[in-house]
Amino acid sequence: MRVLIIGNGGREAAFGKKLAQDKRITEIFFAKGNAATENIGTNIYITEISELLHFAKREAIDLTIVGPEAPLVDGIVDEFKKAGLRIFGPEKKVAKLEGSKAYAKNFMKEFGVKTARSMVFNSFVEAKEYLQKESYPLVIKASGLAQGKGVVIAEDFDEALKTIHDFMIEKIYGDAGIQVVIEEFLKGFEVSIIAVSNGKDIFPMISAKDYKKVGNGGIGANTGGMGSLAPSPDFTLIHNRDFLDNILKPTLEGLKDNYLMFTGFMFFGLLVTENGCHLLEYNMRSGDPETQVLMELLDNELADVIEDCIDGREINLKFKDEKAVCLVLASGGYPGHYETGYEITGLEKVQHSSVFLSGATNKAGKNFTAGGRVLNIIATGKTFDEAREKVYADALPVKFDYAFYRNDIAKF
């Protein structure tokens, strides 16, 4: 098989590493990839859907896997399918469940998916009036795609007002924030459930935990993820049954009722409270950095899972009886302003972990920072403590100017 993976993060590198272990995979292309993926396959520096379609035809690509959300929302799956090409991901109309949080919230309400009470606003004035009447804290979300950063927990009216002004008037996330979702704050812990769909049913993987806040102890701004682990130690069998009954089942019914069934990944972002599981959001792709730990534990061949989904066969997911931990090393200033172009050294000294460069590029045989989340270090063990010790020991020799990471991944 010849495979094309679209995306340039640690998630795509994790897909690539997993597929490269399958002897049936003869060649892997990444569009546009990063410094890690060029050691797994071949990076191609094209991003336009029309160019990717032309490339897939010319190179006789057998399977395309879409990593990030933007090309899905832009309709890449629709175009590839029109051309008779095999691609794993939802069509544009389904990807809207991630592309518009307002649309997703209305979907949840319509089909009885357990979620937080919320309101959607297109008007700054109406949103402000609503904020004056509510109790705090409140959660404010940019409705569109904001790379995982368009969510603020406002502790009081002043912070909430500044947030909607930043989103709707200042447009700090462009058009993604001109419509906002304001919802009640729920207290509990977050869980990521990534599933695959075969067009008829949805098959969840083991649970994962994503550390979204930039600072130790879960403080500071939201990020794309500063680390992850799997399986989530706090997610019990009782929680899982609640998820299946009150979130996955009504979601599946809603997809079928709206003729939205698809073949691809589906991400359920959960908030588990004393009253059970609530759905925070859908992502219509696999998560980053959750993919990194899940691929380390997946016992199936990834190509088999994807091919069976596309062909509508039953899926039997199997995972190793181990724990996995991922640590993200980031550029100083992230998720705000940061500088790039700093050389990354010490990677050859990593002994017990896998390393996936994400926000990095290779020049003349040397690696340099090129993004906010620069690289992922992933290890497995019989216990979380074992996996955690490996990850943090291997992080010590890895250096680049202004590098930082959280010290508490897999501690809580």
Side-chain angles (χ1 to χ4, degrees), residues 19 24 26 37 70 77 91-92 128 144 169 237 242 266 283 298 313 315 317 324 335 340 343 352 376 397 407 411:
L19 288 168
R24 298 168 298 175
T26 56
T37 58
V77 172
E91 290 84 354
K92 184 175 183 177
K128 179 181 176 180
I169 305 301
L237 290 175
D242 183 28
M266 188 170 195
N283 290 341
L298 181 65
R313 292 189 284 268
I315 309 300
L317 295 169
T340 60
E343 185 179 357
H352 308 292
N376 311 149
N407 296 314
K411 263 193 172 180

Side-chain angles (χ1 to χ4, degrees), residues 77 114 214 237 386:
V77 172
K114 193 174 177 183
V214 70
L237 290 175
E386 180 186 346

